[in-house]
């Protein structure tokens, strides 16, 4: 069995390449996984690719299995799914928070078996689904709540998909793009442009657009004592919003929702592994497949990244395939 693998390495601003890397010894209690697919996290990996991770965030931004240090060179990523080929659980399909790499060796506890009905190719959504699930837990949605999702990118659509089975909620989605690559009807929700969003019409807004204009749309859409869950990661970008007007009179709340900690509402009963397992279970719903809008071969990835990570990139989730 080979002791080498190929990995994507971010080497300088706007440059990445595939490099051969050594694998650690396969010690007792470790597994070797042959990667079937991995997911590109556009928002975060755009910052990594462009060297825009703020120095103050270098430690907090480390991926669980990251190799190298910011800014460069660094192996980054956290959405790999594959098959165990050595060690315990040989033959099992598993998910791991690992960078883009053809195969890897990690402790057995670093992988989670996929539930029945979930393919490795869809499981690449699990890390971002954790983020969406955590935001919903942060929101603590009671029956009858009117929800607005601002920003129909991957996290926005994942929140929408998780909320859509709840018939006790109203769920609307807005984005500046007329066509996001996903049909809102498939999830039984209404899609609209920002110009069509009514002011003071929602109890909870999930903001995922990473833009000042999107954040303002979310604030303006909230009714009295409404809550805004802020999921966008801005890096070093400044954000300008209007907090005058009715912001204080309407007692609005802006709540930071970030996946680094389990939401307080679930912290007593869920740890990180439990939350990731819950995300994997949610992905057994075949509708989530609609959110994967393109496939890219692993060895073609360096040449494809400029388009995939461009600010105006189309589509939702990019799946990297290794076969």
């Amino acid at each position: 069995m080979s002791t080498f693998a190929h990995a994507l390495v971010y080497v300088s601003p706007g440059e990445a390449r595939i490099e051969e890397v050594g694998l650690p010894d396969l010690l007792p209690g470790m597994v070797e996984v042959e990667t079937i697919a991995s997911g590109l996290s556009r928002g975060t990996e755009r910052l990594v690719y462009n060297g825009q991770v703020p120095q103050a965030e270098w430690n907090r931004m480390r991926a669980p299995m990251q190799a190298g240090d910011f800014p460069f060179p660094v192996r980054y990523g956290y959405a790999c799914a594959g098959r165990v080929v050595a060690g315990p659980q040989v033959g099992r399909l598993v998910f791991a928070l690992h960078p883009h790499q053809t195969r890897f060796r990690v402790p057995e506890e670093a992988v989670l078996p996929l539930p029945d009905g979930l393919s490795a190719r869809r499981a690449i959504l699990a890390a971002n689904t954790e983020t969406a699930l955590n935001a919903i837990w942060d929101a603590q949605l009671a029956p009858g709540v009117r929800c607005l999702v601002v920003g129909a990118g991957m996290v926005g659509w994942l929140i929408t998909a998780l909320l859509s089975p709840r018939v006790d909620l109203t769920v609307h989605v807005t984005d500046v793009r007329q066509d996001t690559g996903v049909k809102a009807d498939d999830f039984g929700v209404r899609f609209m442009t920002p110009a069509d969003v009514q002011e003071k019409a929602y109890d909870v807004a999930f903001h995922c657009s990473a833009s000042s204009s999107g954040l303002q749309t979310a604030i303006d859409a909230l009714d009295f004592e409404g809550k805004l869950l802020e999921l966008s990661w801005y890096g070093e970008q400044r954000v300008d919003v209007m907090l005058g007007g009715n912001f204080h009179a309407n007692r609005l709340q802006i709540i930071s929702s970030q996946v680094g900690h389990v939401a307080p509402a679930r912290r007593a009963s869920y740890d990180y592994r439990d939350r990731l397992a819950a995300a994997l279970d949610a992905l057994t719903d075949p509708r989530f497949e609609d959110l994967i809008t393109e496939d890219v071969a692993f060895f073609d990835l360096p040449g494809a990244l400029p388009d995939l990570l461009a600010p105006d990139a189309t589509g939702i989730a990019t799946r990297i395939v290794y076969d």
Side-chain angles (χ1 to χ4, degrees):
M1 186 170 291
S2 175
T3 58
F4 293 91
H6 287 91
L8 178 75
V9 183
Y10 294 106
V11 292
S12 64
E15 182 183 2
R17 58 178 177 242
I18 303 296
E19 295 185 357
E20 188 175 74
V21 298
L23 296 176
D25 292 338
L26 188 66
L27 301 175
M30 295 180 68
V31 295
E32 180 171 336
V33 178
E34 187 173 81
T35 307
I36 295 173
S38 63
L40 186 71
S41 183
R42 287 186 180 179
T44 306
E45 293 195 55
R46 180 181 295 123
L47 295 175
V48 175
Y49 180 61
N50 291 324
Q52 294 176 333
V53 178
Q55 186 170 354
E57 298 297 317
W58 284 0
N59 288 332
R60 276 191 290 266
M61 278 280 291
R62 286 193 68 87
M65 298 292 173
Q66 176 179 320
D69 298 313
F70 294 124
F72 301 104
V74 64
R75 279 184 265 161
Y76 194 84
Y78 44 78
C80 271
R83 189 179 303 277
V84 177
V85 294
Q89 304 188 57
V90 168
R92 289 295 303 266
L93 294 175
V94 296
F95 177 85
L97 298 166
H98 198 282
H100 312 290
Q101 193 166 304
T102 54
R103 60 176 58 221
F104 53 90
R105 293 173 177 174
V106 294
E108 182 185 8
E109 60 268 22
V111 303
L112 269 80
L114 302 191
D116 292 341
L118 178 58
S119 70
R121 292 169 68 89
R122 193 191 311 152
I124 58 103
L125 296 172
N128 293 105
T129 303
E130 263 200 290
T131 300
L133 182 62
N134 212 51
I136 292 170
W137 288 350
D138 275 326
Q140 300 186 60
L141 301 172
V145 165
R146 300 163 297 172
C147 301
L148 177 68
V149 179
V150 180
M154 178 152 60
V155 172
W157 275 119
L158 285 167
I159 290 172
T160 302
L162 290 170
L163 292 179
S164 63
R166 286 192 56 174
V167 297
D168 60 320
L169 301 177
T170 298
V171 183
H172 294 166
V173 184
T174 184
D175 196 279
V176 293
R177 298 170 294 169
Q178 296 285 336
D179 183 6
T180 65
V182 177
K183 295 179 180 178
D185 289 347
D186 292 346
F187 294 96
V189 300
R190 180 186 173 193
F191 180 87
M192 65 187 80
T193 66
D196 294 326
V197 175
Q198 283 188 294
E199 293 187 3
K200 303 179 185 178
Y202 299 92
D203 306 299
V204 172
F206 297 90
H207 179 236
C208 315
S209 79
S211 69
S212 295
S213 59
L215 181 55
Q216 193 67 58
T217 295
I219 291 171
D220 294 342
L222 289 173
D223 203 354
F224 182 70
E225 294 190 337
K227 294 191 295 187
L228 186 152
L229 282 299
E230 176 58 272
L231 288 93
S232 298
W233 168 239
Y234 298 94
E236 296 179 310
Q237 175 187 341
R238 292 182 64 88
V239 181
D240 295 316
V241 293
M242 173 65 174
L243 296 183
N246 295 320
F247 179 81
H248 290 289
N250 283 335
R251 294 173 52 83
L252 303 183
Q253 301 177 56
I254 300 178
I255 301 168
S256 172
S257 182
Q258 196 266 351
V259 76
H261 297 278
V262 176
R266 294 289 187 276
R267 201 171 292 164
S269 53
Y270 282 78
D271 60 19
Y272 293 107
R273 189 175 179 87
D274 294 329
R275 186 181 60 186
L276 182 54
L280 289 167
D281 285 339
L283 289 171
T284 58
D285 183 340
R287 297 181 304 162
F288 282 88
E289 192 72 29
D290 295 345
L291 305 185
I292 301 173
T293 50
E294 61 193 327
D295 287 338
V296 176
F298 171 72
F299 286 99
D300 294 338
L301 194 52
L305 283 175
D307 290 333
L308 294 174
L309 298 180
D312 59 351
T314 59
I316 306 298
T318 298
R319 177 168 52 200
I320 301 159
V321 293
Y322 291 72
D323 50 14

